[in-house]
Amino acid sequence: MTDDSWLNEDEQRAWRSYLAVQTKLSSRLNAHLQRESGLSGSDYEVLVHLSEAPEGRMRAFELGEATRWEKSRISHHLTRMAGRGLVERQPCAEDSRYADVVLTEAGRTAIVEAAPRHVAHVREWFVDAMSPEELAAFAAACEAVAEKLDSSADGDCPSAREC
Amino acid sequence: MTDDSWLNEDEQRAWRSYLAVQTKLSSRLNAHLQRESGLSGSDYEVLVHLSEAPEGRMRAFELGEATRWEKSRISHHLTRMAGRGLVERQPCAEDSRYADVVLTEAGRTAIVEAAPRHVAHVREWFVDAMSPEELAAFAAACEAVAEKLDSSADGDCPSAREC
DNA sequence: TCACAGACGGTGATATATCAACCTTCCAGG
DNA sequence: CCTGGAAGGTTGATATATCACCGTCTGTGA
């Protein structure tokens, strides 16, 4: 059976189990993050990038590159996070086209407290589910897929971001 | 370094590459599905399950189990899909608590035409990115994670669905 | 110097997801 | 009976994501 329009049994098993993990793992992690730290997965992602930047400060579009979100999503999300005091917007003095985003004290506290618990869950449900060899094989496979996606940056995609 | 509150280098590499794949692959697949077939990923998922059911007919809550969506999400989404003629609601004669969902002709046509193209992309970006051995290892790892998640069905989760 | 193209960012409208009630129906226990 | 609880399904309000458009600024080239 070399029917290119379908997957064979092994391929389908891999694909479906990947889809299952994607759904279950992210919903489980997000639910726990929300419950234990009051942060959504998106909040967490933004805070991680900011906390890794020098002085907890980044340009909005750098955040967009890091998260691979559209600029409007970034903007809306920052508005909400600023409203909750996790983050602060600072117009850029030199060039007022740009906008700096800085971590507030509350924001740093939030990520510092949330991260260990989150990481513990990642370890519990992801890392500890497999042996070190399996983990390495898994990482290699993921990198291969990511590379494949990056190399085939098909041009006719309307939204430039993910292509 | 046995600091349980962080990941070592290999673990972090695996986790971050997994996150990257999750983001890039799903956005790429969804964008192409939308452009080539006019279906969202969610539409596609519903249509796949319906088309695999006898007579293209399922109970709404069976769809919920299959997709792992909340019942309200199922209901809203079916309303939209019914509006586009992909699907039809039929109250159940025997027990009027239940609601049947059936695939329309248009719905079957849509999934029959969309599936080969979608599968081709899955093959292109996922299956063909690795060797058969890597694929098998990947599947095994995913199954291990899924099993871990299922076995640790932590009780104190407010939303029953994903726990 | 004066348009003007292009990059960054924001905004409002729409689409979709989530949350909290609610209604109906069936069934089990008085 | 009949009453209360549980399950399936729907609805409307809210939260979040996406889309199309607009505004600001800067650097560039006529």
Side-chain angles (χ1 to χ4, degrees), chain B residues 12-149:
Chain B
Q12 191 157 162
R13 179 176 150 233
W15 178 240
R16 296 224 168 185
S17 62
Y18 164 71
L19 289 180
V21 164
Q22 187 179 338
T23 305
K24 294 185 197 178
L25 184 54
S26 66
S27 72
R28 178 78 70 93
L29 284 172
N30 285 342
H32 279 258
L33 197 53
Q34 186 71 59
R35 201 158 81 248
E36 295 165 359
S37 310
L39 298 174
S40 70
S42 302
D43 296 335
Y44 186 85
E45 205 176 334
V46 168
L47 292 178
V48 163
H49 288 296
L50 273 180
S51 70
E52 286 175 347
E55 302 178 55
R57 169 186 304 270
M58 291 175 84
R59 294 269 156 80
F61 89 91
E62 290 178 300
L63 261 177
E65 284 178 343
T67 56
R68 306 183 53 83
W69 294 354
E70 306 186 29
K71 56 186 185 175
S72 77
R73 180 175 174 189
I74 290 281
S75 181
H76 283 305
H77 205 89
L78 289 177
T79 300
R80 291 190 293 262
M81 290 181 74
R84 291 157 57 204
L86 295 170
V87 124
E88 199 178 0
R89 278 188 162 106
Q90 290 182 354
C92 198
E94 317 118 35
D95 188 335
S96 40
R97 280 176 303 183
Y98 303 136
D100 277 0
V101 185
V102 291
L103 207 53
T104 61
E105 265 314 303
R108 190 169 296 278
T109 302
I111 187 63
V112 163
E113 290 188 348
R117 293 186 240 197
H118 183 67
V119 170
H121 288 313
V122 171
R123 180 176 294 288
E124 179 183 3
W125 294 317
F126 177 77
V127 173
D128 285 354
M130 36 189 143
S131 67
E133 295 75 30
E134 284 181 306
L135 192 73
F138 183 91
C142 285
E143 282 165 5
V145 173
E147 198 175 335
K148 189 96 176 188
L149 285 168

Side-chain angles (χ1 to χ4, degrees), chain A residues 6 11 13 16 21 24 27-28 32 52 119 123-125 142-143 148-150 152 154 162, chain B residues 6 11 13 16 21 24 27-28 32 52 119 123-125 142-143 148-150 152 154 162:
Chain A
W6 202 236
E11 292 163 351
R13 179 175 150 236
R16 297 223 169 187
V21 164
K24 293 185 198 179
S27 71
R28 178 76 70 92
H32 279 258
E52 287 175 349
V119 170
R123 180 177 295 288
E124 178 183 2
W125 294 317
C142 285
E143 281 164 6
K148 189 94 178 190
L149 284 168
D150 290 337
S152 72
D154 57 353
E162 76 262 43
Chain B
W6 201 238
E11 292 162 351
R13 179 176 150 233
R16 296 224 168 185
V21 164
K24 294 185 197 178
S27 72
R28 178 78 70 93
H32 279 258
E52 286 175 347
V119 170
R123 180 176 294 288
E124 179 183 3
W125 294 317
C142 285
E143 282 165 5
K148 189 96 176 188
L149 285 168
D150 290 338
S152 73
D154 58 353
E162 77 263 39

